[in-house]
Amino acid sequence: MDWQNTYASIYRARKERLKPVIYLDKISLVDLVGIEKQKEAIIENTKRFLEDLPSNNVLLWGARGTGKSSLIKALLNEYKDEGLRVIEMDRDDLDDLIEISDQIREEPYKFIIFCDDLSFEEGEKGYKGLKRILEGSIEAPASNIKIYATSNRRHLITEYQRDNIGTVVSNNGEIHYSDSVEEKISLSDRFGLWLSFYHGTQNDYLKVIDSYFKEYQGDKENLHKLALQFSQSRACKSARTAKQFYNTFYKKV
């Protein structure tokens, strides 16, 4: 792989190869509205990574359509000229992560392994390879690799009521989890930076609408009315809904 001219790639498990990404999503950090605290935290962590300072693997978790994946794409556009590269992998292919790590750990670039919508059902074992890369191997983690994952779940692995059997509270109030619970939370614990995302208020939603319609010279009040009606039809006032409204109504209002 010519990483000097390839900023991102997608792992194709069937062919056991990295496919270069030719057409990057052009989203930028300034395009992302309403997630300022999350942006600030992940930018700081990514800068530290690029500067060879101690930095963390990142778990972006929370409500759907709130900009988690877009934030990682925007980071690549912001820092690709400073040596940042991204490899996207599906959760089902994470067993191959060790081999990919071996291939790139001597490269002079900084790699984010991007796992989108990461979660595991009970019985799936793909997370074992991910745990080894994060911290749990006799081999030291590659200094030029970080895992940035998005998920709707904070603990990544499906949890059930029965998992709480064996969990006890000591006399001093300390909680001692069952072995089952410990196993399931140990994966997310390996991400040193957790960023939570939630659906914003109506005003937050309308700010995102305005960011898409910067050049709009018409009736703003009517635009907002249509945007709110659209969100009601989707039962969601997220950044994703705002983009879908833009895709539907641009140059129609």
Side-chain angles (χ1 to χ4, degrees), residues 66-207:
T66 48
K68 300 185 294 295
S69 302
S70 295
L71 184 49
I72 296 175
K73 297 172 188 176
L75 281 173
L76 175 61
N77 288 326
E78 184 74 17
Y79 298 111
K80 64 182 186 295
D81 292 333
E82 298 181 31
L84 185 65
R85 301 292 182 264
V86 170
I87 298 174
E88 183 175 353
M89 293 190 71
D90 290 336
R91 66 166 191 176
D92 295 334
D93 304 328
L94 289 174
D95 278 342
D96 296 335
L97 189 51
I98 296 292
E99 283 70 27
I100 292 175
S101 173
D102 289 343
Q103 293 176 27
I104 63 176
R105 69 183 299 147
E106 300 299 331
E107 293 283 349
Y109 301 96
K110 302 292 186 181
F111 292 89
I112 288 175
I113 305 296
F114 172 37
C115 303
D116 195 20
D117 196 20
L118 184 65
S119 63
F120 299 97
E121 300 301 325
E122 188 170 22
E124 290 184 304
K125 300 301 182 184
Y127 71 92
K128 299 291 188 180
L130 180 58
K131 286 175 69 174
R132 291 197 300 271
I133 288 293
L134 288 169
E135 281 183 2
S137 171
I138 193 172
E139 183 178 35
S143 61
N144 66 335
I145 298 174
K146 293 295 176 186
I147 309 294
Y148 282 25
T150 71
S151 180
N152 294 331
R153 302 173 182 169
R154 181 163 62 94
H155 285 162
L156 298 177
I157 305 173
T158 305
E159 297 175 89
Y160 297 96
Q161 180 65 35
R162 65 176 181 271
D163 294 334
N164 291 315
I165 298 174
T167 297
V168 297
V169 180
S170 65
N171 292 333
N172 63 3
E174 291 184 351
I175 298 176
H176 299 278
Y177 293 107
S178 68
D179 290 343
S180 178
V181 173
E182 288 285 0
E183 170 70 11
K184 292 188 174 185
I185 66 177
S186 66
L187 177 58
S188 56
D189 276 350
R190 283 171 164 78
F191 290 88
L193 178 59
W194 289 0
L195 299 176
S196 55
F197 291 73
Y198 303 95
H199 290 310
T201 64
Q202 177 172 297
N203 286 337
D204 293 331
Y205 171 68
L206 293 177
K207 286 179 183 178

